[in-house]
Amino acid sequence: ILLEGDPSSEEYQEKFVDAIISYMHDDKLYDAASEAGQRKARKLGWDGVAKDWTKKFDRMIEELNDDPVRLAHHFYWRSDIFAAKKALKGQTSPSAKRLRHKISEEYAFIKSRDIFEEHYRKGGENTDTRLSGIPVEEHDFKTTSEKRFHILVKYLTDHPELENILEFGCGHGWSSIYLHNQLGRKWTGVDIDPGAIKWARIFTKEHANHPEDLEFVQGSHDVDLGDRVPFDCVILSEVLEHCIDPYKTIEAVEKMVKPGGIVIVTVPYGPSEYGTSNWEKFRNHLWEFDVHDLQDMFGKKHEMNLFAVSMFPNSKTGDMLGFHIINYRADQEPVGRIDWDRKLWLQRPRLTTSASIIAGPNCEDTLLWCLNSIKWIVDEIVLADTGLSPLARSMAESVGVRFVENASNPTVVGFEVPRNESLDKCSMDLVLWIDTDEKLLGGEFLTKYYRKCIWDGWSIRQHHFTVDTSWKPDLPVRLFTRGPVKGKEIRYIGKIHEHPERGLNKGPGDVLILPDVHIAHVGYLNEVTRRARFLRNTPLLELDKKAYPDRLLQKHFIMRDNMLMNMYEHQLNGGRITDSMRKRAEEVIDLYRNNFLGKKKYAFVDGLEYYTEALRQLGQGIDVAFNLAAGRDGVGDDVMNGTPFSGGPVVARFADVNEASAELVYRMREKMNPLTKEGW
């Protein structure tokens, strides 16, 4: 029975109850409904639900992974280089070409086996220098905090029959010697780096419990180990991610193990190399194997076990790092191959990010401070050169920025012009803008917001550091989506105090204030510097008035600057109110009444404090204290156990009761409206 009507009405509810009761008293009606339900049920099953859900999941995955260049950046961050190259295949956009060239330059050592081996020899020379500076006896081969070695010890303890063990890719012998000291047994280590083998032999003599039970040999997967083969067990701990051809390596090494012997493989997951000294000085990871890759490769091996262990987050990106560990019984059969169609499809890459900066003369003191705070969390840095010195230019080049040459002078044409010149060259999904006298703090927390979501922009608290006064943090929108939102492209608007907007007074869209990311600003370390910068900006504010007479943000800054000038003059003239001060205060009062009083505020801007101070300077109005909170059934403010204002009530001045009423009614409406909507 399908009942038409309004389900919230009493009449409908009575009809509904009557219909239910009719099934209890009318056997024919009940039997007919029961039979019809069973007929329908016989046609239903979980197969249809599964197919429907699978289609929806597939569509969701496709929507989250719909850009091959974004996918390539995702793989690049995670040192999955061959996957990045496959994602870039056939892509011809400028950003794709730049990333392809970058990978070609940074990973030139994979072009041939000879170049590859030479790369590791050179890397080994640096390690040789470092180890030579540490007395041999000071190295510790007895303890470790690394989980994978504790897991290896436990596994081998449970398998005492594994006596003759090969560690392929043994490095400087630390793990072989450590495992020997824990377990005994006979060990052979193989590594491509002759310097590593030299140190492994030195460490064996100094630190191994029974040096005669360890042998170290320089070579690759085709090394001749003579009568030491076959082994009971082989360990490849963090090796396959370094190999140009991991299939060839594991297949060759497995042949060194007797049939039914044990193969143990560990590989890292997450961006384990990104942001480390290796990334800057000695790249060597080429693969990131996910669970599906490892199932593709080892899933058909006898008694295969696969699990993951997490360790800690990457200090630069916040991604969790860890390792996968696999063990199986050797059968000397080829391993499987990675399903590339699946791997390229089944990903959820972060949105890519451009850093947008303008930089000109005298920025050398803080430029690297700024650039180093963002270089690990963006995919490109675009810098508009408005007059960099050769020194500053070399600093920027050292972190790989892309220049906008001969950008416009902001002090002549306004800051929006070079900002937009930089924005025009940005090619990623998101844009993070920052100044050279600022440092981003908490960048490792910022990356988790690089996802497709409901937000168009993200506000980051900007803290102004100074030695002789204090300023409240600002909340500028510093991260925003580059593409159009509701058909509107984002541009910087404002000759001074420029901000990204999708139209005058429109803002960037829906904005989230971030709780765990901050910007430290050191441009005004003392009041003298601030006032000099203030005088520089005054002509630009006048230019902004002419260009954008209706710009609300500009009016907020006029109010702020007027009151700052009054404060400066008040300090110089012994506390008197002059005609010029009175005129500025009157302008503030007019601007607030006409544009902000009882009206929706723009982009977190609230000039009530300037309005209050202007009234006080003119001896007008009455101070009013208020503290507004609104909540409903646990949604909104906690009205029973305190209010959202930790610093006490707001104290503001109004000319009369009508003004106070208009402002308080507006603020209460803003508090209550979200709780009165149908979907509150």
Side-chain angles (χ1 to χ4, degrees):
I1 299 175
L2 179 63
L3 302 178
E4 301 291 344
D6 178 9
S8 64
S9 69
E10 290 187 14
E11 179 186 3
Y12 184 96
Q13 292 166 18
E14 289 178 3
K15 287 166 60 179
F16 182 83
V17 172
D18 289 342
I20 295 296
I21 293 174
S22 69
Y23 283 101
M24 299 168 62
H25 299 294
D26 188 334
D27 290 343
K28 290 184 178 180
L29 182 63
Y30 179 89
D31 291 342
S34 178
E35 184 180 344
Q38 291 182 53
R39 281 199 308 271
K40 179 67 174 177
R42 283 191 287 271
K43 298 178 181 178
L44 299 176
W46 284 110
D47 287 352
V49 175
K51 290 178 182 178
D52 182 51
W53 282 22
T54 300
K55 288 180 182 178
K56 290 180 179 178
F57 289 143
D58 287 354
R59 186 165 60 249
M60 180 183 70
I61 292 168
E62 289 169 358
E63 290 171 353
L64 295 172
N65 182 20
D66 59 358
D67 185 335
V69 179
R70 182 190 303 135
L71 178 61
H73 278 281
H74 162 77
F75 287 135
Y76 173 77
W77 272 33
R78 304 175 78 88
S79 299
D80 209 347
I81 302 307
F82 287 98
K85 293 173 74 171
K86 282 190 175 290
L88 288 171
K89 187 175 181 180
Q91 300 300 310
T92 59
S93 67
S95 58
K97 291 177 179 178
R98 283 193 294 269
L99 182 56
R100 187 181 292 112
H101 176 74
K102 192 176 188 179
I103 290 173
S104 176
E105 291 287 312
E106 294 171 352
Y107 292 89
F109 63 90
I110 66 175
K111 292 179 179 177
S112 72
R113 177 171 174 172
D114 289 342
I115 298 173
F116 182 80
E117 292 183 357
E118 181 62 22
H119 174 74
Y120 272 87
R121 288 193 193 95
K122 288 184 178 179
E125 290 171 3
N126 294 329
T127 305
D128 184 75
T129 301
R130 177 175 60 82
L131 293 177
S132 298
I134 305 172
V136 173
E137 64 272 12
E138 291 188 11
H139 293 271
D140 184 6
F141 290 82
K142 305 293 185 183
T143 61
T144 181
S145 60
E146 284 204 46
K147 293 179 182 178
R148 60 188 164 116
F149 295 114
H150 293 293
I151 292 171
L152 289 173
V153 168
K154 184 178 186 312
Y155 183 87
L156 293 172
T157 300
D158 293 340
H159 293 80
E161 73 278 9
L162 303 177
E163 273 289 334
N164 184 23
I165 302 173
L166 167 66
E167 184 183 12
F168 186 83
C170 65
H172 298 79
W174 184 92
S175 53
S176 295
I177 298 170
Y178 168 80
L179 293 169
H180 162 76
N181 288 341
Q182 299 292 317
L183 301 160
R185 314 188 193 183
K186 294 186 179 296
W187 294 81
T188 300
V190 173
D191 198 89
I192 195 174
D193 177 13
I197 296 301
K198 178 193 77 173
W199 279 100
R201 291 167 179 167
I202 294 172
F203 288 141
T204 297
K205 292 178 183 179
E206 182 70 26
H207 293 284
N209 290 347
H210 300 285
E212 67 276 9
D213 288 339
L214 292 103
E215 293 269 358
F216 290 97
V217 180
Q218 189 268 325
S220 187
H221 57 266
D222 52 2
V223 64
D224 182 4
L225 296 176
D227 59 5
R228 285 186 286 268
V229 178
F231 294 93
D232 299 323
C233 173
V234 62
I235 299 172
L236 297 93
S237 184
E238 318 293 274
V239 172
L240 293 185
E241 69 273 13
H242 299 263
C243 299
I244 295 175
D245 188 340
Y247 312 119
K248 187 176 182 180
T249 298
I250 188 65
E251 288 168 358
V253 173
E254 186 178 330
K255 286 183 171 63
M256 302 178 189
V257 184
K258 63 185 181 182
I262 297 297
V263 178
I264 301 174
V265 178
T266 76
V267 290
Y269 69 76
S272 55
E273 192 171 48
Y274 187 80
T276 67
S277 59
N278 269 8
W279 184 269
E280 296 192 285
K281 299 175 182 177
F282 181 62
R283 301 281 179 92
N284 53 74
H285 287 196
L286 302 173
W287 300 83
E288 185 203 21
F289 300 99
D290 62 31
V291 171
H292 306 282
D293 298 335
L294 297 171
Q295 287 283 4
D296 288 344
M297 295 173 69
F298 304 111
K300 294 182 179 180
K301 290 293 184 179
H302 187 51
E303 295 184 16
M304 193 275 284
N305 294 295
L306 165 63
F307 62 95
V309 178
S310 64
M311 295 189 296
F312 45 78
N314 180 296
S315 63
K316 299 297 194 299
T317 70
D319 294 275
M320 184 56 67
L321 306 180
F323 59 90
H324 298 292
I325 188 164
I326 306 100
N327 61 76
Y328 63 89
R329 293 198 177 275
D331 58 12
Q332 281 81 44
E333 293 296 322
V335 297
R337 269 36 181 179
I338 291 172
D339 180 346
W340 282 106
D341 289 338
R342 183 269 312 152
K343 184 176 178 73
L344 295 176
W345 174 74
L346 190 59
Q347 301 288 336
R348 189 190 177 186
R350 284 194 176 107
L351 298 178
T352 55
T353 306
S354 302
S356 176
I357 301 175
I358 61 174
N362 306 316
C363 68
E364 294 83 2
D365 286 348
T366 56
L367 179 59
L368 273 181
W369 191 66
C370 168
L371 295 176
N372 285 333
S373 74
I374 62 172
K375 69 178 183 180
W376 295 115
I377 60 165
V378 298
D379 300 282
E380 67 175 2
I381 301 176
V382 179
L383 187 149
D385 183 352
T386 64
L388 290 174
S389 69
L391 175 59
R393 182 99 180 182
S394 67
M395 288 177 173
E397 289 170 346
S398 72
V399 296
V401 307
R402 191 154 55 87
F403 293 100
V404 179
E405 304 288 359
N406 302 314
S408 302
N409 186 339
T411 61
V412 175
V413 297
F415 281 86
E416 64 181 3
V417 179
R419 290 271 187 221
N420 285 322
E421 290 170 348
S422 175
L423 179 61
D424 288 339
K425 298 295 183 181
C426 293
S427 59
M428 301 294 141
D429 299 306
L430 305 175
V431 175
L432 170 71
W433 64 289
I434 191 168
D435 286 329
T436 59
D437 57 2
E438 295 175 335
K439 179 178 183 177
L440 186 74
L441 302 170
E444 69 274 20
F445 305 122
L446 184 62
T447 56
K448 67 176 174 282
Y449 301 105
Y450 295 175
R451 300 291 189 187
K452 291 184 178 180
C453 62
I454 65 171
W455 304 108
D456 305 311
W458 294 262
S459 278
I460 301 176
R461 285 177 175 82
Q462 181 190 28
H463 303 265
H464 308 282
F465 290 89
T466 180
V467 298
D468 50 7
T469 188
S470 62
W471 301 95
K472 293 188 300 183
D474 290 328
L475 284 170
V477 176
R478 288 303 189 92
L479 180 70
F480 58 86
T481 54
R482 186 174 60 90
V485 173
K486 296 178 181 178
K488 298 290 185 179
E489 286 283 351
I490 198 160
R491 307 296 290 169
Y492 291 98
I493 295 177
K495 302 297 182 181
I496 189 68
H497 309 308
E498 70 287 358
H499 277 69
E501 300 192 60
R502 301 191 187 276
L504 184 63
N505 298 330
K506 300 296 184 183
D510 293 324
V511 172
L512 175 69
I513 302 173
L514 301 187
D516 49 2
V517 187
H518 303 268
I519 287 175
H521 175 227
V522 295
Y524 311 137
L525 285 176
N526 59 22
E527 196 62 23
V528 172
T529 305
R530 179 180 176 82
R531 293 187 187 190
R533 195 70 60 87
F534 180 80
L535 292 174
R536 181 206 70 179
N537 291 345
T538 300
L540 290 173
L541 192 56
E542 293 300 319
L543 189 63
D544 196 69
K545 289 180 184 179
K546 294 178 181 178
Y548 305 108
D550 298 323
R551 186 184 178 213
L552 287 176
L553 197 57
Q554 167 213 107
K555 299 181 189 308
H556 169 84
F557 284 116
I558 292 172
M559 291 191 295
R560 185 200 69 176
D561 291 355
N562 276 9
M563 299 320 296
L564 283 173
M565 284 191 285
N566 276 11
M567 180 186 74
Y568 300 155
E569 189 171 341
H570 197 267
Q571 292 171 349
L572 293 172
N573 68 18
R576 293 181 295 108
I577 301 297
T578 65
D579 289 340
S580 58
M581 292 173 64
R582 187 173 290 107
K583 185 176 180 181
R584 293 189 201 104
E586 289 171 350
E587 184 181 20
V588 169
I589 291 169
D590 287 341
L591 286 172
Y592 192 79
R593 285 175 178 167
N594 293 330
N595 297 283
F596 300 101
L597 180 64
K599 298 178 181 179
K600 187 171 180 64
K601 307 303 187 282
Y602 165 73
F604 318 118
V605 167
D606 184 3
L608 184 57
E609 61 179 304
Y610 307 126
Y611 179 65
T612 295
E613 185 58 30
L615 287 173
R616 286 174 179 165
Q617 288 184 1
L618 297 181
Q620 300 175 10
I622 301 169
D623 287 327
V624 177
F626 58 93
N627 199 344
L628 304 178
R632 179 176 175 182
D633 300 338
V635 178
D637 302 319
D638 186 358
V639 296
M640 301 301 295
N641 298 306
T643 68
F645 301 105
S646 59
V650 175
V651 179
R653 180 165 288 210
F654 299 97
D656 53 40
V657 68
N658 291 329
E659 283 194 359
S661 176
E663 185 65 24
L664 293 179
V665 166
Y666 158 73
R667 289 171 183 257
M668 183 56 75
R669 185 180 295 117
E670 288 293 291
K671 282 279 186 184
M672 294 184 66
N673 274 352
L675 306 177
T676 59
K677 295 178 180 177
E678 184 177 355
W680 70 273

